[in-house]
């Protein structure tokens, strides 16, 4: 017996609903990649967000898979600010890195990504916004001044407020390319072991290797960084 048009429409509608339900379930149950850091101070786990900063996350996970972080130290620790590592071995030899990753701070923030708040992880870089490679830092306080600045629409931008000053009719390119407005790309956060990070931030520091200060007097070594399945 040939189905009626009404029956066929109902079947198509049910199929569409099933597809949408399946997509919603998939999105709801999708687990963001997680990386376990085993250190001499204890273990912690980072969760990273490829939906917010895909290039940054891919870059970070490649370093994890290449075992780049194994044997490196947290070389810069500042209480009430952040802890930074991923670039130097225990002898303060700088490890070789791949080409830098493009800055994704604004894009991640525009997609609803995290700001530089307690427990979030961001890429370290030089004054060049597009210079991040392997080094990362974990915020141990809310560091609003590290957040990327979103540029309002328009060209020129009719009105732009920054650090208490108002700029009017500013060419868009001038704002988009201003180094001080890029901030730092947040791409994940600590989901377990924040007590370990808090212990790290409070260790005594001083000079070490090529650095005049902020180096833990007792080295904090990353024994391994492992992508969790």
């Amino acid at each position: 017996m040939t189905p009626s048009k009404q029956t066929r429409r109902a079947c198509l509608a049910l199929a569409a609903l099933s597809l949408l339900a399946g997509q919603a379930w998939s999105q709801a149950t999708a687990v963001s990649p997680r990386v376990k850091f085993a250190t001499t101070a204890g273990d912690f786990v980072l969760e990273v967000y490829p939906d917010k900063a895909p290039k940054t996350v891919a870059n970070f996970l490649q370093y994890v898979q290449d075992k780049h972080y194994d044997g490196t130290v947290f070389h810069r620790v500042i209480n009430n600010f952040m802890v930074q590592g991923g670039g130097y071995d225990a002898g303060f030899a700088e490890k070789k890195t791949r080409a830098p990753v493009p800055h994704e701070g604004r894009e991640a923030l525009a997609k609803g990504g995290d700001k530089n708040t307690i427990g979030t992880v961001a890429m370290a870089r030089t004054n060049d916004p597009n210079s991040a490679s392997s080094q990362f830092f974990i915020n141990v306080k809310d560091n609003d001044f590290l957040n990327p600045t979103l540029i309002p629409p328009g060209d020129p931008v009719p009105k732009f407020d920054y650090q208490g000053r108002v700029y009017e009719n500013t060419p868009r390119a001038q704002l988009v390319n201003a180094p001080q407005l890029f901030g730092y790309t947040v791409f994940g956060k600590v989901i377990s072991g924040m007590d370990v990070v808090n212990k790290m931030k409070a260790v005594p520091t001083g000079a070490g290797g090529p650095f005049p200060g902020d180096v833990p007097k007792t080295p904090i070594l990353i024994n391994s960084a492992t992508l969790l399945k």
Side-chain angles (χ1 to χ4, degrees):
M1 183 172 65
T2 303
S4 67
K5 289 183 178 180
Q6 188 174 6
T7 302
R8 287 198 297 272
R9 290 195 191 98
C11 289
L12 288 171
L14 285 171
L17 286 172
S18 297
L19 178 61
L20 288 172
Q23 291 173 341
W25 170 257
S26 176
Q27 292 170 359
T29 57
V31 178
S32 298
R34 296 178 177 184
V35 176
K36 178 181 178 180
F37 280 81
T39 83
T40 52
D43 301 348
F44 61 89
V45 176
L46 302 180
E47 185 174 76
V48 295
Y49 305 118
D51 59 324
K52 302 297 191 300
K55 294 176 183 177
T56 303
V57 168
N59 175 70
F60 177 76
L61 293 181
Q62 188 62 59
Y63 279 114
V64 171
Q65 293 173 334
D66 292 343
K67 301 300 181 183
H68 173 93
Y69 295 121
D70 297 11
T72 61
V73 294
F74 282 90
H75 64 278
R76 187 174 180 228
V77 171
I78 304 176
N79 200 349
N80 207 34
F81 181 30
M82 57 92 231
V83 299
Q84 179 176 335
Y88 296 85
D89 67 18
F92 295 103
E94 189 169 6
K95 297 194 72 171
K96 185 177 180 180
T97 61
R98 301 189 309 275
V101 63
H103 194 277
E104 294 183 295
R106 288 180 184 141
E107 293 89 336
L109 202 57
K111 293 175 185 175
D114 290 324
K115 296 181 178 181
N116 284 276
T117 55
I118 294 176
T120 57
V121 57
M123 294 305 300
R125 60 174 178 80
T126 67
N127 289 333
D128 177 358
N130 295 301
S131 62
S133 56
S134 68
Q135 292 188 41
F136 63 92
F137 63 89
I138 302 171
N139 290 288
V140 296
K141 71 177 291 290
D142 293 347
N143 292 312
D144 291 343
F145 72 100
L146 299 181
N147 293 331
T149 301
L150 298 179
I151 310 302
D155 191 9
V157 176
K159 186 178 181 181
F160 181 71
D161 299 330
Y162 181 68
Q163 293 187 347
R165 288 189 61 186
V166 177
Y167 300 82
E168 296 183 346
N169 298 318
T170 308
R172 185 169 192 81
Q174 184 176 324
L175 296 176
V176 169
N177 297 317
Q180 68 270 28
L181 301 182
F182 276 85
Y184 291 78
T185 302
V186 174
F187 64 97
K189 67 181 177 182
V190 177
I191 59 167
S192 70
M194 193 61 195
D195 58 321
V196 172
V197 177
N198 286 332
K199 182 169 65 174
M200 290 164 54
K201 75 177 184 179
V203 300
T205 60
F211 306 106
D214 302 323
V215 178
K217 291 184 177 180
T218 299
I220 302 174
L221 182 71
I222 297 174
N223 292 319
S224 65
T226 308
L227 181 62
L228 301 178
K229 303 298 183 182

